[in-house]
Amino acid sequence: MIIYYHDRAVRVTSQAIQVAGRSYPLTTLSRVWHRRGERSWGTVAGRGAIGVALIAPLVAAAIGIVIALRLHTSTSTTVLIVGGSVLVGLAAAPLADFLLGRLDLSYSKGARPLEIWAEVGGRPTLLVRTADALKFGQIYRALQRAIEAAPRY
């Protein structure tokens, strides 16, 4: 028996695909396809919130600088306000690194779950559903390789 893919939830072998405790022998799969699930608007909104969080400190710094220059105060007060605004803008750098990492992760997970379907005994059956595009690709390719290598009777 050859193992094409294995993790905690899914195992693809030369004989079957096992998903969450259920086993589907490859010989019972007459057709396999994939599709995208419904869009997760929560994920899309989360990406928008990350974008706002990235821009907010820079906008606050710019507003502080504009206010400091518009106010007719002493030079030392203006320099103090501009300096504080610049520090607020610079504080965005470590925050930006964290937020860009989260944004990148949200794109690798995707806004739509990916599904692998198969006809099992003539009935469409959902085999795998995941939002992780990398994991989905690995499972789907492993299943393709297993089916191509499996003897047909």
Side-chain angles (χ1 to χ4, degrees):
M1 177 175 66
I2 300 169
I3 297 175
Y4 291 96
Y5 180 85
H6 180 72
D7 68 14
R8 291 183 312 183
V10 180
R11 182 176 177 173
V12 179
T13 68
S14 57
Q15 298 173 348
I17 177 171
Q18 299 162 344
V19 182
R22 298 198 61 174
S23 182
Y24 301 95
L26 296 181
T27 56
T28 64
L29 306 180
S30 58
R31 188 173 75 123
V32 177
W33 69 97
H34 62 88
R35 69 179 197 117
R36 295 174 136 195
E38 294 296 317
R39 180 180 310 275
S40 167
W41 290 106
T43 301
V44 174
R47 289 178 188 159
I50 290 172
V52 169
L54 280 168
I55 294 172
L58 301 175
V59 170
I63 290 171
I65 291 171
V66 168
I67 289 173
L69 296 176
R70 292 273 185 185
L71 291 177
H72 298 292
T73 60
S74 67
T75 304
S76 62
T77 304
T78 302
V79 167
L80 185 65
I81 294 172
V82 168
S85 298
V86 168
L87 287 176
V88 167
L90 290 175
L95 178 65
D97 183 48
F98 172 74
L99 291 175
L100 288 173
R102 298 288 297 181
L103 187 64
D104 189 39
L105 182 62
S106 80
Y107 277 98
S108 68
K109 295 292 184 188
R112 295 174 183 252
L114 301 167
E115 302 171 340
I116 299 175
W117 289 77
E119 277 190 16
V120 180
R123 302 177 76 194
T125 304
L126 176 63
L127 300 178
V128 177
R129 181 183 175 102
T130 182
D132 188 334
L134 178 62
K135 180 178 177 178
F136 171 82
Q138 291 171 339
I139 294 169
Y140 193 73
R141 181 64 188 130
L143 186 56
Q144 283 179 322
R145 288 191 340 257
I147 290 172
E148 288 168 2
R152 290 287 170 193
Y153 301 103

